[in-house]
Amino acid sequence: MSPDYLYLIVGLIFVTVIGFDIYNWSRGHSFVAPEVRIKRLWSKLNYSVLILGVTALVTAILLNVNVLSYRRPMAYALVKTITLKDFRGFKMPNETLDGGNEFAFITTSIEWDREGDQVVVNALFHPSRSYVYNNRTGDGFLLQHELYHFHVTEYFARLCRQELSGRSTPPASAEIAAIIKKNRLQERRVQYRYDDEAYHGVILQKQKQWEQKVDSLLSSVKAFENPKVGYN
């Protein structure tokens, strides 16, 4: 189901419910006082607005996370298995990129947790929040560009692990969260520059330059590719 259809469904539900209320109100018996009929209509309209609100909320959730075709986030270790078919999210209706539709959008994050005396920092790809503008697109260059966004996320996840390592005891949760937040902000700036300079992968020379740069950055922190940070 495309998001265009979701919006259409919301509109139809609202028009149907409101229209049915007005129709019933207009056929009210003549012996019912006008103020009573108005009060009844107002009550029904309140229910209609409530129904619309709930429907709109469900639609908003679907546009953010496609729960109808949900797939749990994938760790960076699975990066080589990802294809455009894993981009299961919904795009906004009629969304384009400078008039074109041969583009995609990947959603990644840096998450952390504890496992005993270890801190686990993962770079994650969110299939149900990532989408392809044109579902018929099968461009390998497009996938390559999007996956390098994931590589950038992994680089900053490794920086987080590097900063969290070399200690005798695990840091406090507040410190871990602060480190993740700081690196996440830096990552967003780099992601923006990457898209801007490579123009979403369209400028092939810039795309290749960024790929080499990111590969080099990942190699520089290869010692921290293990998501788990241990403490003695």
Side-chain angles (χ1 to χ4, degrees):
M1 181 184 296
S2 73
D4 300 283
Y5 287 122
L6 289 174
Y7 277 109
L8 179 60
I9 290 172
V10 172
L12 287 176
I13 290 175
F14 183 67
V15 170
T16 300
V17 174
I18 293 294
F20 186 69
D21 287 341
I22 295 176
Y23 174 73
N24 286 336
W25 174 74
S26 66
R27 294 180 66 250
H29 298 295
S30 59
F31 59 81
V32 178
E35 60 271 18
V36 174
R37 294 174 63 193
I38 292 294
K39 185 176 181 180
R40 289 178 179 176
L41 175 62
W42 184 253
S43 176
K44 290 182 178 181
L45 288 177
N46 284 338
Y47 283 116
S48 299
V49 171
L50 176 62
I51 292 172
L52 175 65
V54 172
T55 307
L57 176 62
V58 171
T59 303
I61 292 173
L62 286 173
L63 289 176
N64 184 50
V65 180
N66 182 5
V67 296
L68 299 179
S69 181
Y70 182 77
R71 183 174 181 183
R72 63 186 300 177
M74 300 171 65
Y76 183 75
L78 300 173
V79 64
K80 293 183 179 180
T81 71
I82 297 173
T83 70
L84 287 179
K85 291 182 179 179
D86 292 309
F87 288 58
R88 303 185 178 197
F90 287 135
K91 69 179 181 65
M92 294 297 290
N94 302 316
E95 185 175 11
T96 63
L97 188 62
D98 291 341
N101 62 2
E102 299 296 320
F103 300 94
F105 179 83
I106 190 171
T107 299
T108 62
S109 67
I110 300 175
E111 310 290 343
W112 72 275
D113 200 356
R114 294 185 186 271
E115 287 186 8
D117 293 332
Q118 296 179 320
V119 174
V120 182
V121 180
N122 267 311
L124 299 175
F125 159 63
H126 298 264
S128 298
R129 294 174 59 194
S130 305
Y131 55 87
V132 179
Y133 283 71
N134 182 351
N135 291 329
R136 294 184 296 276
T137 298
D139 191 343
F141 289 108
L142 175 60
L143 177 62
Q144 182 85 340
H145 173 79
E146 296 307 316
L147 289 183
Y148 265 86
H149 279 293
F150 197 13
H151 293 318
V152 170
T153 303
E154 169 63 13
Y155 168 67
F156 282 95
R158 293 184 186 185
L159 290 183
C160 291
R161 297 171 201 140
Q162 182 180 40
E163 196 168 346
L164 291 168
S165 65
R167 309 179 186 210
S168 58
T169 58
S173 296
E175 184 180 0
I176 299 173
I179 290 173
I180 299 293
K181 181 179 180 181
K182 178 188 67 176
N183 281 280
R184 189 65 169 146
L185 288 173
Q186 294 175 349
E187 180 227 350
R188 287 172 184 168
R189 296 189 186 102
V190 174
Q191 300 281 26
Y192 177 81
R193 282 180 50 209
Y194 170 43
D195 262 341
D196 184 53
E197 293 182 11
Y199 194 63
H200 305 276
V202 173
I203 306 176
L204 295 182
Q205 182 180 5
K206 289 291 184 180
Q207 176 66 32
K208 290 302 179 182
Q209 289 176 357
W210 267 96
E211 289 177 12
Q212 293 172 2
K213 178 179 180 178
V214 174
D215 288 343
S216 177
L217 290 172
L218 283 172
S219 295
S220 70
V221 284
K222 185 173 177 59
F224 303 96
E225 64 181 345
N226 189 335
K228 297 181 180 180
V229 180
Y231 300 91
N232 297 325

